[in-house]
Amino acid sequence: MAPASIYSHFTDLSALIQHVLRLRYQELARLMDEAAQVAGPAPLADLTARCAAYVHWGVSQPGHYRTLFGGRMPADLVPGSAHGAGAEPLTAVVTSLAAAAVPERKQPTAERQAQAGLMLWTALHGLVSLYNDHGTMPWPPLNDLITDVVCLHTGRPAAETASLLRQHEGRFGPPTRAAHKDRDTALLAPSPPADNEHGITPEAG
C-alpha cells in the first residue's frame, strides 16, 4: 500500500502516532499479564514474571521500546495523555511489588508504594536502555540482571527469583542471536533521514 493511503484512516499525523502508541502499550501490558498468569499467583512469581516480560520485550523490540519510552516524540504531536495507556503495566508492578517485598521493605502508604514501584520501573528502564544502546559491552545474562534488580527492590533472596526465572526459561530466555545481531546492526547503521517536517524518523522494530 502507498504510505500516503494510511492517512485515509486517521485525521492527522498526531492521531496516527497516538494509535501506534496505544497498540504498543497494549501489547506490552498483555505480555506482562500473560507472563504473570503463567507464573502463578504467588507475589514474587507475579512480580518476577512482569519484570522479565518487560525487559525481554524491550530488548527484543528496541525500536518499539524507544518509541514508547525514549522521549523522542515531538510534544506538538503527542500530548502527555497519549502515554496514559502506559499506566496500566506500571500500576500492576506497583501492586505486585507491594505484595512481594519482605516486611522490612513494605511501604506504609499508597503514595510510598507508588514511589517504590516507580523506582523499580526506573531500574528496569535503565537496564533495557543501556543494554540496547551499548550492546557491545560484555553484559551478564539478562536473567541474572533481572534477578539482581528484583532482589534489590524486594529484599528477597536471589535464589528465589533465579529459580522462578529458570522455571520459565523458554518464555523468559535470553534474546536469540538474531535479535542481538539486529540490535547491533541498528546501532551501527547511520540514522535514516527524517521523512516529514516534524523530523520523525522510522524506527527499527
Side-chain angles (χ1 to χ4, degrees):
M1 63 184 295
S5 65
I6 294 175
Y7 288 100
S8 64
H9 300 278
F10 300 94
T11 57
D12 54 24
L13 180 59
S14 178
L16 170 59
I17 293 175
Q18 292 183 56
H19 179 73
V20 171
L21 290 175
R22 184 168 61 253
L23 289 178
R24 295 287 75 79
Y25 277 125
Q26 290 173 348
E27 175 187 346
L28 177 56
R30 184 183 70 253
L31 290 174
M32 293 173 69
D33 286 343
E34 290 174 352
Q37 290 172 6
V38 172
L44 183 62
D46 183 283
L47 178 65
T48 300
R50 292 182 187 279
C51 292
Y54 179 94
V55 170
H56 283 287
W57 183 84
V59 168
S60 65
Q61 306 286 342
H64 291 169
Y65 189 86
R66 285 193 297 270
T67 297
L68 293 183
F69 304 112
R72 300 182 181 183
M73 291 291 102
D76 61 324
L77 289 178
V78 186
S81 59
H83 293 279
E88 180 182 341
L90 176 58
T91 299
V93 166
V94 168
T95 301
S96 188
L97 174 60
V102 297
E104 294 80 8
R105 297 289 181 89
K106 297 286 185 184
Q107 299 298 328
T109 65
E111 182 179 0
R112 291 293 300 172
Q113 290 174 10
Q115 182 171 323
L118 185 60
M119 294 308 298
L120 172 55
W121 178 41
T122 299
L124 297 173
H125 172 66
L127 171 56
V128 174
S129 298
L130 289 172
Y131 192 93
N132 285 343
D133 290 345
H134 301 280
T136 57
M137 288 176 56
W139 288 93
L142 273 180
N143 283 349
D144 290 354
L145 297 172
I146 295 167
T147 295
D148 288 344
V149 170
V150 172
C151 292
L152 281 172
H153 289 265
T154 62
R156 303 285 287 268
E160 287 186 74
T161 302
S163 176
L164 290 168
L165 287 173
R166 282 195 300 270
Q167 291 174 24
H168 302 281
E169 213 155 355
R171 178 179 292 266
F172 304 136
T176 63
R177 290 184 180 181
H180 278 289
K181 182 178 179 182
D182 290 344
R183 182 198 64 203
D184 295 340
T185 299
L187 291 173
L188 295 173
S191 298
D195 60 357
N196 54 66
E197 69 274 18
H198 294 282
I200 297 176
T201 56
E203 290 280 7

